[in-house]
Amino acid sequence: MDTNDSVVSEFVLIGLSNSWEMYHFLFWFFFVFYMGIILGNFFIVLTVITDSHLHTPMYFLLANLSLLDLGLSSTTVPKTISDIFTDCNIISFPKCMIQIFFIHVMGGGEMVLLIAMAYDRYTAICKPLHYLTIMSPKMCVSFVAAAWIVGTIHAVSQFVFVINLPFCGPNEVDSFYYDFPQVMKLACIDTYKLEFVIIANSGFISMATFFSLITSYIFILVTVWKRSSGDLSKAFVTLSAHITVVILFFTPCMFLYMWPFPTTSLDKCLFIVDFAITPLLNSAIYTLRNKDMREAMRRLGKRIVGPHGISK
């Protein structure tokens, strides 16, 4: 057989069920969740931009986190919806590589922004008199720029190894999406060393960042407890949303990359959590558990509807 004839030019997703009832359920599940992700995160960004009360470092970082959440979900969920709707689960090799690349750009960037938001809360609670000096507009923009730069470096550092792998045999991926662990299994060579690169680059970094963030939030709570004679209620309400988002974001990442070749059922569950549920919950958590954001959204709603838009 000619070598060129044996090179895989496209991949096929076989993770979707053959049951029509399950197809129907998955289509509406992903469609409804993705619409919620678009509307929820777009509304957060719009509220932060239009409400002067939210022109603070924390909400600037939150708006950028919402954009990354929307971007991360958009790398995979629209393709999944399209595959279900058209019953065509094929993707070309270049498009597969592009999807994987942007998954890691968005994921790496979100990791940096979560670190920035933890630093913002530490500064606001532990160094309130210096908060606006430390978290200056220049510093906030630097955090966002660093998120995109680090995300890109993170993606490229793995992408350069995978793009040159020989794919000459099976081309079926038993999942809802394409990522390094799933695609590497199809390579025609032993990928043991590359597995270690993936674990080191994504798994260990995710785990180290997760425990560092949790430790930092615990440190903040202990500091508040010492300063306020044991009253943690206000600080805990402020930090609980951040801690919840950190847990939601990092738990699937650690499972996926510390155990780079999970079972098919676990892989599908991780996809649903990471790309559909978490981006929607993030927007809900930061709005429902944040008084300033709720009030700002009410003000925005009144401006959109207008003073006479609601019947008496």
Side-chain angles (χ1 to χ4, degrees):
M1 179 182 295
D2 184 72
T3 304
N4 292 331
D5 294 335
S6 64
V7 175
V8 171
S9 61
E10 60 187 23
F11 294 106
V12 181
L13 282 178
I14 59 172
L16 299 173
S17 172
N18 292 323
S19 165
W20 168 248
E21 291 79 9
M22 184 56 67
Y23 256 83
H24 194 262
F25 169 78
L26 288 173
F27 174 81
W28 285 109
F29 174 85
F30 286 121
F31 180 80
V32 170
F33 268 70
Y34 188 58
M35 289 299 102
I37 291 167
I38 293 174
L39 293 174
N41 287 289
F42 175 76
F43 206 45
I44 287 177
V45 174
L46 183 63
T47 304
V48 172
I49 291 174
T50 58
D51 197 301
S52 59
H53 297 85
L54 301 183
H55 291 174
T56 64
M58 184 181 82
Y59 293 108
F60 175 78
L61 295 174
L62 173 59
N64 280 276
L65 181 69
S66 294
L67 289 175
L68 283 176
D69 269 336
L70 178 57
L72 182 64
S73 180
S74 297
T75 59
T76 56
V77 177
K79 177 72 169 76
T80 302
I81 295 173
S82 173
D83 288 346
I84 297 173
F85 185 75
T86 61
D87 196 22
C88 179
N89 306 333
I90 299 173
I91 188 171
S92 67
F93 181 83
K95 289 181 180 179
C96 175
M97 294 296 107
I98 290 172
Q99 183 186 79
I100 294 174
F101 179 79
F102 280 104
I103 285 174
H104 286 267
V105 170
M106 300 295 175
E110 190 159 338
M111 194 180 300
V112 174
L113 271 188
L114 289 173
I115 294 172
M117 293 177 76
Y119 181 72
D120 171 79
R121 290 301 83 202
Y122 164 77
T123 307
I125 294 174
C126 298
K127 298 181 179 181
L129 298 179
H130 304 285
Y131 175 64
L132 292 179
T133 302
I134 296 173
M135 294 300 296
S136 63
K138 183 178 179 181
M139 176 64 78
C140 293
V141 172
S142 297
F143 274 130
V144 174
W148 285 100
I149 292 170
V150 171
T152 302
I153 294 173
H154 164 70
V156 170
S157 63
Q158 299 179 90
F159 189 73
V160 293
F161 294 103
V162 177
I163 191 67
N164 292 319
L165 285 176
F167 296 97
C168 52
N171 67 338
E172 294 182 341
V173 178
D174 191 7
S175 182
F176 291 153
Y177 73 116
Y178 304 90
D179 198 2
F180 289 127
Q182 292 86 1
V183 172
M184 283 169 54
K185 288 192 295 184
L186 305 178
C188 302
I189 61 172
D190 183 10
T191 58
Y192 174 77
K193 292 181 180 179
L194 286 180
E195 290 175 34
F196 179 78
V197 172
I198 297 297
I199 293 173
N201 197 316
S202 295
F204 288 153
I205 291 176
S206 296
M207 186 172 67
T209 304
F210 171 75
F211 285 111
S212 297
L213 286 171
I214 295 299
T215 302
S216 69
Y217 284 125
I218 292 173
F219 174 79
I220 294 171
L221 289 172
V222 170
T223 302
V224 173
W225 179 71
K226 289 180 179 179
R227 291 182 180 179
S228 59
S229 303
D231 184 13
L232 290 175
S233 56
K234 185 176 180 180
F236 186 76
V237 169
T238 303
L239 297 178
S240 60
H242 296 273
I243 296 172
T244 303
V245 168
V246 166
I247 293 172
L248 285 172
F249 177 78
F250 282 99
T251 301
C253 291
M254 289 187 292
F255 268 103
L256 180 61
Y257 296 111
M258 289 303 293
W259 185 11
F261 297 102
T263 61
T264 299
S265 58
L266 177 61
D267 178 71
K268 294 176 183 178
C269 290
L270 291 175
F271 166 78
I272 293 172
V273 171
D274 222 9
F275 295 96
I277 296 178
T278 298
L280 180 63
L281 287 181
N282 284 358
S283 58
I285 289 168
Y286 280 120
T287 53
L288 297 178
R289 305 193 67 173
N290 187 299
K291 182 180 178 182
D292 292 337
M293 182 62 75
R294 291 198 305 269
E295 292 178 352
M297 285 188 167
R298 287 195 196 99
R299 289 192 292 268
L300 177 61
K302 289 179 180 178
R303 289 201 298 271
I304 293 174
V305 174
H308 304 293
I310 302 175
S311 60
K312 296 179 180 181

